[in-house]
Each structure stands twice: as structure tokens, then as C-alpha cells.
Amino acid sequence: MKDLITKLTEAQKFAMSIRPKVGGFPILAEVLREAGVLMNRWYLPSLQAVYQMKEGSVVQQGTPLVTGVHEIPKFHRDNLINAIRADQEGKSTFLEFLKAAWEAGVVGYDVDFTNRSVIYYGALGESYLEEYPAVTFER
């Protein structure tokens, strides 16, 4: 059996190789789900991602969006939805999406691969739920 890190990184690489520019997130999510990822929790602005898998958990640390001390932006649902739609339409990179989500007051989000949903959280307990469609792909 592959170790969890290898399993995750191979799934991510494969997903990125077949992910279309427009509407690509459901493909990425389905590849990760099939690789055994149950949930993915992102912490903003640190860009730390925790992947809960059937066999255990993996942390992936990105380059933080900010360093030092910063005021957290107020949660702005409409700006978040605009950032999500821009990403879905291929008008932003993933990093640009994460920056826009942070600027919309998102401090973290959970991707539930079983229920095909994403919940975005603000610092004061605000939240926004978005579901994504089931997709199929060929290897």
C-alpha cells in the first residue's frame, strides 16, 4: 500500500493533469475522493491544508498569504461568491481564489468529498455552504 503522502500527491498531480480550466474543481474533488480523501480543511491566511483520509491524515503547508499581524477582513458573502464564480469560470488561479476568499473574510473552509460540499467560515462564526456536482472521469 502506498504511504498517505504519496497517495495524496499522486492524486493531486493526476487531477491537475486532467482538470479543465473552466469548472475544474469537481474533477479535482472526485479524484481526491476516489483516492480516499474524506475531507480537506483549509486554514487562511496560513495556507495550511489538512487532508483527512480513510487511513489517516496529511498536512500540506503552502506559502502564507500574509505574515505578521493583520486585521481579519469582515465576512462578505457576495464577494466570496464572486471569487468562487471567477474560479469556476477559469478567470482566476487557485492562489488568486484563495486571496480573494481571504479578502472576503474567509478564515477557513472545509471540503466534504462524501457530501460534495464546501463550507466557508468567517472569524465570527459566519458561514456559506456551496455544493458541487458529481462528475466522472477516465484514467
Side-chain angles (χ1 to χ4, degrees), residues 4 9 23 32 40 52 67 70-71 100 105 114 116 126 139:
L4 292 179
T9 56
L32 293 177
N40 175 218
Q52 294 177 356
T67 58
H70 293 267
E71 184 174 343
T114 304
R116 294 184 177 90
E126 311 93 335
R139 288 201 179 261

Side-chain angles (χ1 to χ4, degrees), residues 3-132:
D3 74 348
L4 292 179
I5 294 170
T6 301
K7 193 173 187 179
L8 175 64
T9 56
E10 285 181 359
Q12 289 172 324
K13 287 176 190 174
F14 174 69
M16 295 311 290
S17 75
I18 65 168
R19 183 180 193 253
K21 182 170 173 67
V22 175
F25 174 75
I27 295 287
L28 170 65
E30 184 60 18
V31 170
L32 293 177
R33 188 191 69 76
E34 287 190 8
V37 180
L38 304 171
M39 191 189 82
N40 175 218
R41 176 165 288 159
W42 279 87
Y43 298 95
L44 301 182
S46 68
L47 291 195
Q48 181 183 75
V50 174
Y51 294 84
Q52 294 177 356
M53 303 173 73
K54 291 178 182 175
E55 302 93 351
S57 300
V58 174
V59 65
Q60 196 170 40
Q61 181 61 56
T63 302
L65 295 174
V66 299
T67 58
V69 180
H70 293 267
E71 184 174 343
I72 297 172
K74 290 186 182 351
F75 189 82
H76 196 280
R77 182 180 178 273
D78 291 340
N79 290 356
L80 170 59
I81 292 170
N82 289 339
I84 294 167
R85 297 298 173 260
D87 182 63
Q88 290 170 337
E89 295 167 8
K91 295 178 179 175
S92 67
T93 65
F94 182 56
L95 184 56
E96 289 169 337
F97 162 73
L98 293 173
K99 287 178 182 177
W102 164 250
E103 290 167 2
V106 173
V107 295
Y109 65 93
D110 293 338
V111 182
D112 180 337
F113 296 102
T114 304
N115 294 311
R116 294 184 177 90
S117 64
V118 183
I119 302 175
Y120 300 88
Y121 299 100
L124 300 177
E126 311 93 335
S127 65
Y128 172 71
L129 169 72
E130 177 127 330
E131 296 178 334
Y132 61 89

